[in-house]
Structure formats: structure tokens, C-alpha cells
Amino acid sequence: MNALRSSKWQAKLAAVPLPALSLLVGILCGLLMWLVLEPIQDRRLANLFHDELVRRLDVRAVETRHRFEQFLQEWRKVGSGLSNHWRIRNYLGSNAWHQSKNSDTQAILHQQTPEWLDPGYPKLNSIEPKHVLLLDNRATPREIYQKQSLSFDLDQLFEFYSGRNEALVTLIDQVPYLLVWSNVSYLEDDLAAVLLLIVPVDDQFLLESQSMTHDSDTLIALVDANTLKLLSSSNREMIARNSHLNDWHENYLLTSQAITRFQSMEQSLLFTTLVSRDAVEKTILNITKLAQQDRFLAALVYIIAFSVIFYLISAKISHVLIRISRFGQQALGIEQPVTKKGNQLLLLEDWVKAFFRQLISARDTLRNKQEERLRETEVLKSALFDNSMVSIVTLNQEGIIVEVNGTAFKTFGYSRSQLIGRHLEEMAIHPNDRERFRAMLTACISMSASNSNCRGQAMQAVTVNGEEKSVECSVISIRLQQQTVFNVYLRDISGQKQAQREITSLAKLASENPSPVLRINKRGVIVYANAASEPLMGYWDCERGQTLPLYWKNLVASSLKEGTTKEYEINLDSQIFSLQLAPILELEYVNIYGRDITRIRMAEMQSRQHQSELVHVCRLSTMGEMSTGLAHELNQPLSAIVNFASGCVRRMQSGKGGEPEIIDAIAQITAQAERAGEIIKRLRTLVGKRPQEHEVVNLNHLVLEVASFIEFEANRQHVEVILELSEGVLPVEVDLVQIEQVMLNLVRNAIDAMKQVDQNQRRLVLKTGRMSAREVQVLVQDSGSGIPEQTQKHLFDAFFSTKKSGMGMGLPISQKIMQDHKGMIEVESEYGHGATFRLVLPSDPTIELPGF
């Protein structure tokens, strides 16, 4: 009867399609898992989270107390930093402090920020002290800066002063305050004054200590350990001040800890952390609900996914088995009745056995292909091994070479037969490093060394030709079935060593530089200075790490701000330095490169001296050429003196001359003598050897002086001199003699250039005028035959002259004189139509000339 029923059930199962059956099984399994596991998971999860939250309460209490103590420590640093501020140190050296300290009157009360306190300070985050006291070295208050009136007597505070820098939390009239004591030193005094910061420890203070905003989940408070009353809390609206700690046990989980580092022995304060019980329970409930939802969704997804996947797989298997059955009938000769409906698995059991025999055959074929692929992989690995850029040598446990790649052959020059079976250290390691290599290999073989000791050790290797190479040696063990071998990697680092030596050499470049090299940061501090910079630091009177003098500090700041390189020159007692300030904007510092230019300046001074002597020689040459005119100019007043003197003698001998006539003649003699003396004086000034002296003169006056010098020469050459002088004053600051020499040279050249022109056409024009607000000019125009273009290119070359007896130095010297005066000479000429020389000089229109 049972067998009949079993066969009926099998028939019914065979009649049910496989996809539908798998879907039904998946749903039943998922529901069963949900009903069994759900209650168990809820209880375990609730207990787990409750234990975890209680544990985290202790951790959170430690963290909040640590942050609170860190906040107190930061206030201690604020007080220490304020006591070292330059404002308070300057104030301690002032008369105001000495008067206040020696006064018997009460402390000075400040409503505004006093001069010894930096505006806006002290401050930590948003918390500011309500009172800042400056006490003398006897702890007597001298100055008080307050933002609100004191609600207690100051005498209560001084019992907490221990003479050290410290921060204390204490109760004053049952109100918690933070007292920050900081000793202030000045000059040689160990204790010149004491700075006291008084900060109320209120709700805002507690919030800032935790770096958090109002939160009803976690609160902190200060509690009197004796009375268990709450003195201050981070949320005074939720936790009332002066309430008893036991009143909050029902609503909060409490943890209290003593503040040992920041309160005196007489005080007894507790730091309490409160976590809301409702928040904890609500969190547990929310987590449990979320876990239930997640499990429900996971089970639902599992049922759906399992059912869908199993349905699809079953449908696919059923479809495939139908096709395989047909294929077996047609191709493999396996006869299997195929039905279009029902469970194909039960119907094709015998056919599957035959099909697995076919699978075994396919497996053998796949194994052969896999072995072929492994052989190919082995060939690739061998190619990588031989073509590696690093020398690789494989050793057995005795340290004997068993394999070598091609790079090792090329690096050390040995053949394969020379290396196989030999010890590596004997063949390729320098004798000085062989013992170290053996120790390294032994340690790696015995596995007694750390991994770092078997990698990256620098050694010296030797090739077959005795050439030494720097290599980096690493050893890696390879465990095989029967033994362990070791790959030794020798990487050639000779080039790297050379690069390191070059980098080291470059790093020493600045220190070995014979010229000063300094680096200054944006605050004007000398960050680096080489040995050659000692004269400069002596000039500035500062050392490395110190700040430059204010003037040079401002120059550094200006160079950084403008981003341009600037040059300055300083003159020491025995040296002259040119300093170049080169800003490095991205790093915010300035490099100062010094150059000793003492010899250059001495050479320039000698050059100017030689130039002055050469100009003097040229003036003497010019005066020699003008000797005839000068003799004629002197002859006129001397002849007049002789004539007037002779006439006086004759009149006095004959007795015909009256006293008025003789007096008039003597006056004429005096006038002519003064004229001769003025000519000699001018001559001595022109040819005299003297240092350069710049003075302010009128340019028109210079032109008139030059015109008077060449008056006789012009008349003798039948040259008409035309003066076109500016009506206004043209002030210039020049060396009078040198500029006269330049003009005289140009005028004489112009007179010589007109010798080839008809006498009626010889005209010399001297014209002055202003070119711009800061430039004036003198034009020397002649009506000569002009200057050829080819000659113009060489006019200012030394020793070039168109005159047979000329030295060729007049125009080069004139050009150098004009350059020294920050001026220039220009020439314009058209051959056959004369030439024009233009002298351009700088002129300051604000200069006032005496008499104008």
C-alpha cells in the first residue's frame, strides 16, 4: 500500500514542471528561515547594542574629559604667549609701568584695551577673558582690564597663585572660573610681572571645549564633589545650575571624573558626562527596527532572487536537456524518450550517465590544452627572466649558483659554464664585501633576518675584467616542493651613485661660493648665509636666524611685492659689494647674491682719473692750437697799457697834462690790466688740472664763454658767428670746464670744416633751447661741405681723424664727457650742405640760479 502511494507521489512530481517545483521550494524555505530566526536575532541584536552603547558611554566620558583638559592646556599656552608678547615687554620697560609699580594707589582700571595688550587678544575660539590683570612681582594688582564688573574680591584669587605658569579651575563664590597665571620676565629679571586671565567656565566655555554645538544627546557639566551640585553645564536650559546630580539619574547615564591636573588640592570638582537614556533607548529601538526591516528585505530579496534564479536555471536546464535528448537521439545514438511536459530530470537519468562519459573525454582534451598553455607561460617567464634589466642569479641552500639570466652574463662578462656550480661571492662580489654578502645570505637562508635585511643593501661587485661596479643586492627565497632556492638580484647603481655625488656637489655650491649668498624669508630673517657672507652680516650687525635692519627688511619686502630683481651697492671700510635681490615668489623668500666690486670701482676711479688727464692733455693741445688767438687777445690790453703809460709819462714831463687827464689814463691802465688778468684767469681755468666739480650754471652763459674764446680765430678765418640763445634760463648741473671743452672742440671743428668754402658763405650758428621739461640742447651748425656717410660711422672712434695733424681723440673724449653727464652728442649731415652737432644735457626746471 505504501509502495503504491510512493509511486503515485513520484508520478505526481514527474508530472509537475521543474521550474514551478523549484519556485515553490524557494518560497517555503525563505518563510521557514524568517519564522525561526526573527525572534532570536531581535533579542541578540538588542542586547548587543545595549552593551555597546554602555561601553561607548565610558569611552565618550574619557574623550570629553580629555578634550576639556586640552582646552585648558590651550588657555595656558595663550597666557604664556601673551606674557612673551612684545607689547607687554615694551610696556614693562616704560616709565608708565615703573610709576604704576612704585605707586601706593589702587590698581588702574581699563575699560578699553590698554597699550600693553594687543587689540582683539587674548582670545581662544569665541571665548574671551572677562578680566585681564597685570600684577607686579609681589603679586599686587597694578592694572586691570575688564569687560564686566568684578563680582568678587580679588584677594580671594591670590591664594591660588603658586609662583608658576599654570591654569587652574576653581570656585569663587560657588561659580567656576579658569585662572591662567603667566610669569613675565624682562631683561635680567626672572620675574618682572605676573599676568592673570580670569575666564568664567560657563555653558559657552564647556561647549567650546568640546568643539560642538547644543546637543541634547550628550552633555557635560562641572559638579561640586562635596555637595554633588551642578555648578555649570553645556546646556543650562536642560540641566539647571545648582540642581543635585542624583536628580538626573533617571533621565541620563552619568559618568564623573576628577580634574586632577588643573585644580588645586583645596578644590574638589568633578567633570561629569551625561548621555540621555531616552536617546540611548530610542537609538536601540531604531536600530532594532532597521535591522528587522533589513532582515525582512533581505529574506524577501533572497526568496525572490532564489526563486527567480532557480526558476531560470531550471527552465534553462529543462530546455537544454530536451535539446540534448534530441541531439543524443540524432548524433550519439542514445535513445531517450522525450516528453514535452513534466520533469525532464527524472526522465533523462540514464541518458545523463552516457553524457558524463562524453564529459570525461572532453576533460582529457581540456587538460592537454592546459598543459600546452602552461608550457607557453613557462617560455614567457623564461624570456622575462633572461631579458630583465637586473642581473638575477639563482642559488641553492649551499649558496651555489644554479641559474643565471642573460643580463648577469653581460654585466659581469662570464659565460654560463664559468658561473654554474660556483659560489657567487667568489665570482662577482668585491673582496671587501664578501663577508657581508655571506652573512646576508646566511641570515636569509636561515630566515633569522627580517625582510628588510635581505633587500636593498649596497655593495661593490667585480666583473671578469676586474672592473668595479656599485650594485644594490636583494635576496628573495622561492619555496619549491623538494627544496628552497634563492634569487639574488644585483641592480647596477653606479649611475645612481654618480648622480648622488653630483647632487651633493651641487648642494655644496652655495657654501663653497667665494661670493656672498644669502636667503631671506618674507619676514626679513636670514634663513641661510654662506661663509663668504660674514662681511655683510658684520655690516648689518646680525647673525643667521636674526632679522635684517629695518631699511634692508623693507627692501626685501618691496622686492617680493613687486616681483622684480633689484641691485644695490654698499661700501664697507675696505670692500665695495654689489648686492642683487632676486625674489622667489612661489616660496616667498629672496635670494641675495653679493659680488665684490672693489677692484671694478678702483678701476673706474683710475679710468676717470686717466680720462681727466687725457681731457687735460686735449685742452692743452687745444690751447696750443689757439695760441695765436690767445696771444692776440692778451696783446690788446697789454698794448693799451703801454700806450696809456707812455702818454702819462710824456704829459708829466712836458707839464701839459692836467690831473684829470692823468687820472683818466691811469683808470684806463687799470681796466686793461684787469682785462688781461681775466683772460689769464680763464686760460688757467681751462688748462688747469683739477678734479671734477659739478655746479649749476646757465647754458647760455657757457655758449657766450665759448664764443668769446673763438672770437679772434673766427675773425681770422672770416667766419660769421651767429648766436641764437634761448630767452629763458636753461639751468644745468655740469662740470663747467669739461662742457666748455666739448663745445670748444665742436666749434673749432666747425671752423676748420669751413676752410674749403668761400669766405662769404662761412657762417657758424650757436643755438640753445629746451627740448622737453627735463632736457636742453645746444646746436653747432656750420655751412661747410658736410660729412660723408661713411665718415659719420667712425666719427666717435678713438684715433680716427680727418685732419692730417689731428690726434683723433677730441670727439671720443667729448662723447665720454657727455655720457658722464648723462647726456649725448648727435650729428646730422648731408654731404655738401654742412653739418649740425647737437649736445643734449639733462636739466631740472626746479633749479634756481642766483641772479635769475
Side-chain angles (χ1 to χ4, degrees):
M1 190 70 178
N2 293 332
L4 181 61
R5 290 178 180 177
S6 176
S7 61
K8 289 182 178 179
W9 276 106
Q10 289 180 356
K12 291 181 179 180
L13 288 175
V16 178
L18 182 60
L21 181 61
S22 63
L23 182 61
L24 180 61
V25 172
I27 294 174
L28 292 176
C29 291
L31 291 175
L32 181 63
M33 182 185 69
W34 169 262
L35 294 175
V36 173
L37 297 180
E38 174 64 16
I40 299 174
Q41 290 291 338
D42 283 346
R43 288 194 301 272
R44 294 185 63 185
L45 190 62
N47 294 333
L48 180 64
F49 274 101
H50 184 272
D51 295 341
E52 179 64 18
L53 288 174
V54 172
R55 187 187 65 81
R56 289 193 178 184
L57 170 63
D58 296 334
V59 175
R60 187 175 301 178
V62 174
E63 291 177 348
T64 53
R65 182 177 65 85
H66 178 71
R67 285 196 291 267
F68 180 73
E69 292 182 348
Q70 285 292 107
F71 195 62
L72 298 180
Q73 182 67 21
E74 289 179 10
W75 269 107
R76 181 179 177 277
K77 292 179 181 178
V78 168
S80 178
L82 187 61
S83 66
N84 290 312
H85 199 275
W86 64 268
R87 285 181 177 269
I88 196 168
R89 289 180 176 271
N90 289 348
Y91 182 73
L92 292 181
S94 65
N95 292 330
W97 169 249
H98 289 290
Q99 293 176 1
S100 175
K101 182 176 68 173
N102 298 325
S103 174
D104 295 333
T105 60
Q106 294 183 353
I108 301 173
L109 194 61
H110 296 279
Q111 298 297 333
Q112 302 295 330
T113 304
E115 62 176 299
W116 45 268
L117 195 59
D118 197 10
Y121 290 92
K123 184 176 181 181
L124 185 58
N125 298 341
S126 62
I127 307 299
E128 299 182 12
K130 300 304 180 183
H131 306 87
V132 182
L133 283 71
L134 188 61
L135 303 84
D136 60 16
N137 52 10
R138 297 185 300 276
T140 303
R142 292 302 178 185
E143 300 199 20
I144 302 174
Y145 169 54
Q146 62 180 15
K147 294 192 175 181
Q148 66 182 25
S149 300
L150 286 169
S151 59
F152 50 85
D153 189 0
L154 287 175
D155 294 337
Q156 302 179 44
L157 304 180
F158 304 133
E159 62 180 282
F160 302 110
Y161 177 53
S162 64
R164 302 189 305 271
N165 292 345
E166 59 184 350
L168 295 176
V169 178
T170 185
L171 288 179
I172 303 177
D173 296 338
Q174 291 304 309
V175 177
Y177 286 91
L178 172 64
L179 305 181
V180 182
W181 301 89
S182 299
N183 295 332
V184 185
S185 300
Y186 179 74
L187 297 180
E188 300 298 331
D189 295 339
D190 292 335
L191 180 61
V194 180
L195 189 68
L196 172 59
L197 308 181
I198 304 176
V199 187
V201 183
D202 51 12
D203 56 342
Q204 186 65 29
F205 186 95
L206 294 176
L207 278 175
E208 287 290 345
S209 70
Q210 302 301 314
S211 301
M212 64 183 181
T213 57
H214 291 279
D215 184 7
S216 59
D217 181 13
T218 302
L219 303 177
I220 60 173
L222 289 181
V223 178
D224 189 340
N226 298 322
T227 63
L228 294 182
K229 285 188 177 182
L230 275 77
L231 304 174
S232 178
S233 69
S234 60
N235 192 330
R236 58 186 176 186
E237 296 179 357
M238 298 182 64
I239 304 295
R241 188 174 179 273
N242 291 327
S243 60
H244 201 277
L245 187 63
N246 295 330
D247 297 339
W248 304 101
H249 275 290
E250 293 183 0
N251 299 327
Y252 293 92
L253 296 174
L254 305 178
T255 300
S256 297
Q257 304 168 77
I259 307 173
T260 58
R261 293 174 53 196
F262 296 96
Q263 64 176 334
S264 61
M265 299 299 294
E266 294 79 7
Q267 299 291 332
S268 181
L269 296 175
L270 295 178
F271 181 83
T272 303
T273 304
L274 302 92
V275 178
S276 174
R277 290 181 179 273
D278 292 340
V280 173
E281 293 174 358
K282 189 180 295 183
T283 301
I284 295 174
L285 182 59
N286 291 336
I287 293 174
T288 303
K289 288 182 178 180
L290 288 175
Q292 289 176 350
Q293 294 175 3
D294 291 342
R295 287 196 301 274
F296 176 76
L297 292 176
L300 184 61
V301 170
Y302 169 77
I303 292 171
I304 295 174
F306 178 81
S307 301
V308 171
I309 293 173
F310 203 81
Y311 175 83
L312 294 176
I313 293 174
S314 300
K316 188 67 176 177
I317 290 175
S318 179
H319 179 70
V320 169
L321 289 176
I322 292 174
R323 295 186 62 186
I324 290 175
S325 177
R326 292 175 181 174
F327 175 78
Q329 287 179 335
Q330 298 175 2
L332 301 179
I334 302 175
E335 295 183 359
Q336 171 65 37
V338 179
T339 60
K340 297 182 178 179
K341 295 181 180 180
N343 194 331
Q344 300 297 321
L345 289 176
L346 298 177
L347 300 175
L348 297 177
E349 180 179 358
D350 295 336
W351 182 88
V352 168
K353 294 179 180 179
F355 182 74
F356 271 101
R357 286 194 293 271
Q358 300 294 328
L359 288 179
I360 292 172
S361 176
R363 182 196 62 183
D364 295 337
T365 303
L366 182 61
R367 180 185 297 170
N368 294 333
K369 291 182 178 180
Q370 187 67 22
E371 291 176 354
E372 182 66 25
R373 186 175 299 171
L374 287 174
R375 285 193 292 272
E376 293 177 356
T377 303
E378 208 50 45
V379 172
L380 290 175
K381 289 181 178 179
S382 177
L384 290 174
F385 179 78
D386 287 334
N387 296 309
S388 173
M389 300 298 292
V390 179
S391 298
I392 303 175
V393 181
T394 303
L395 309 178
N396 60 17
Q397 292 184 342
E398 287 75 29
I400 297 175
I401 301 173
V402 296
E403 190 57 68
V404 184
N405 73 339
T407 304
F409 296 144
K410 297 176 183 178
T411 302
F412 298 102
Y414 292 102
S415 64
R416 180 180 178 83
S417 59
Q418 290 176 312
L419 291 176
I420 299 299
R422 304 289 299 275
H423 285 86
L424 176 61
E425 66 271 20
E426 297 176 357
M427 303 297 293
I429 303 300
H430 193 276
N432 295 338
D433 288 329
R434 287 176 183 173
E435 189 64 31
R436 190 156 62 95
F437 176 80
R438 292 191 192 100
M440 173 185 176
L441 188 61
T442 301
C444 294
I445 291 174
S446 62
M447 304 301 291
S448 62
S450 63
N451 193 34
S452 60
N453 293 335
C454 297
R455 295 177 182 268
Q457 295 195 27
M459 296 184 181
Q460 288 294 113
V462 182
T463 66
V464 67
N465 298 323
E467 179 185 357
E468 296 185 6
K469 290 179 178 288
S470 296
V471 296
E472 183 182 75
C473 181
S474 298
V475 179
I476 296 178
S477 62
I478 302 175
R479 296 186 179 275
L480 304 178
Q481 291 182 353
Q482 302 297 330
Q483 62 175 338
T484 300
V485 296
F486 299 87
N487 273 355
V488 179
Y489 297 86
L490 301 173
R491 185 167 64 91
D492 190 348
I493 58 172
S494 301
Q496 179 180 342
K497 290 284 187 180
Q498 180 63 27
Q500 290 177 350
R501 287 193 291 270
E502 292 179 359
I503 292 173
T504 304
S505 176
L506 288 174
K508 294 181 180 179
L509 182 61
S511 60
E512 296 173 350
N513 196 330
S515 297
V517 178
L518 302 96
R519 175 166 293 177
I520 315 296
N521 64 15
K522 65 179 181 180
R523 294 183 286 108
V525 177
I526 302 175
V527 178
Y528 171 80
N530 65 353
S533 305
E534 294 297 335
L536 296 180
M537 291 191 291
Y539 171 77
W540 290 321
D541 193 21
C542 57
E543 299 291 339
R544 296 170 181 83
Q546 295 182 351
T547 305
L548 291 175
L550 181 60
Y551 172 75
W552 286 92
K553 179 180 177 181
N554 292 337
L555 291 181
V556 169
S558 174
S559 179
L560 267 178
K561 181 178 180 181
E562 298 174 7
T564 57
T565 300
K566 298 184 177 182
E567 290 190 9
Y568 301 94
E569 191 172 303
I570 60 174
N571 193 346
L572 308 184
D573 293 337
S574 59
Q575 290 176 288
I576 302 174
F577 283 95
S578 173
L579 302 184
Q580 184 183 61
L581 275 64
I584 311 299
L585 300 180
E586 59 273 14
L587 300 179
E588 294 187 331
Y589 61 74
V590 172
N591 285 342
I592 298 181
Y593 303 102
R595 184 166 56 96
D596 190 344
I597 58 172
T598 307
R599 293 185 178 180
I600 296 176
R601 292 293 177 262
M602 294 294 293
E604 290 177 352
M605 184 175 67
Q606 292 177 358
S607 176
R608 286 194 295 270
Q609 183 178 355
H610 293 162
Q611 174 187 332
S612 178
E613 293 175 354
L614 187 57
V615 170
H616 178 240
V617 171
C618 290
R619 285 203 301 271
L620 292 177
S621 175
T622 302
M623 290 300 101
E625 294 174 1
M626 296 176 62
S627 58
T628 304
L630 294 172
H632 175 75
E633 199 169 350
L634 283 172
N635 190 46
Q636 286 182 342
L638 293 177
S639 299
I641 291 171
V642 171
N643 292 334
F644 282 116
S646 299
C648 289
V649 171
R650 287 194 301 271
R651 289 178 182 274
M652 292 177 67
Q653 289 177 348
S654 62
K656 295 180 180 180
E659 184 178 348
E661 295 177 351
I662 293 175
I663 291 174
D664 182 62
I666 292 173
Q668 291 292 336
I669 291 173
T670 302
Q672 293 300 323
E674 290 177 350
R675 180 185 174 190
E678 187 65 28
I679 293 172
I680 293 173
K681 180 180 178 182
R682 284 193 325 206
L683 180 62
R684 291 182 60 187
T685 302
L686 188 62
V687 301
K689 188 175 181 181
R690 65 184 188 84
Q692 292 187 9
E693 295 181 0
H694 286 221
E695 54 184 307
V696 180
V697 295
N698 187 2
L699 187 60
N700 291 334
H701 175 72
L702 288 179
V703 174
L704 288 173
E705 286 283 336
V706 172
S708 65
F709 274 123
I710 54 94
E711 180 180 358
F712 175 78
E713 183 71 17
N715 292 334
R716 188 168 66 86
Q717 297 291 343
H718 303 284
V719 175
E720 179 185 3
V721 179
I722 302 172
L723 298 177
E724 297 181 4
L725 304 181
S726 172
E727 295 181 359
V729 180
L730 305 176
V732 291
E733 187 174 358
V734 296
D735 187 298
L736 183 63
V737 174
Q738 288 191 358
I739 298 302
E740 282 185 351
Q741 168 68 16
V742 174
M743 292 185 184
L744 188 61
N745 186 48
L746 295 179
V747 169
R748 291 193 66 256
N749 287 345
I751 293 175
D752 291 342
M754 292 185 287
K755 290 182 179 179
Q756 308 299 328
V757 181
D758 188 80
Q759 295 182 2
N760 297 328
Q761 298 178 359
R762 297 177 183 176
R763 285 184 298 278
L764 175 63
V765 180
L766 301 179
K767 185 176 181 179
T768 63
R770 182 172 290 279
M771 294 181 65
S772 63
R774 293 192 172 274
E775 285 185 333
V776 295
Q777 66 176 357
V778 178
L779 297 180
V780 180
Q781 299 175 335
D782 65 66
S783 58
S785 57
I787 305 173
E789 183 178 355
Q790 189 63 27
T791 303
Q792 290 184 35
K793 298 178 181 179
H794 303 284
L795 279 179
F796 298 100
D797 293 347
F799 307 109
F800 176 80
S801 177
T802 58
K803 303 176 184 179
K804 294 182 179 180
S805 60
M807 295 174 58
M809 292 300 294
L811 286 178
I813 292 176
S814 299
Q815 186 185 46
K816 185 64 173 65
I817 291 173
M818 292 301 296
Q819 291 174 351
D820 291 344
H821 285 76
K822 298 181 180 179
M824 60 180 177
I825 302 178
E826 296 177 343
V827 59
E828 297 177 2
S829 177
E830 184 179 353
Y831 190 66
H833 295 81
T836 300
F837 283 81
R838 176 185 286 106
L839 301 181
V840 180
L841 287 168
S843 173
D844 189 351
T846 61
I847 295 178
E848 295 184 0
L849 286 170
F852 291 92

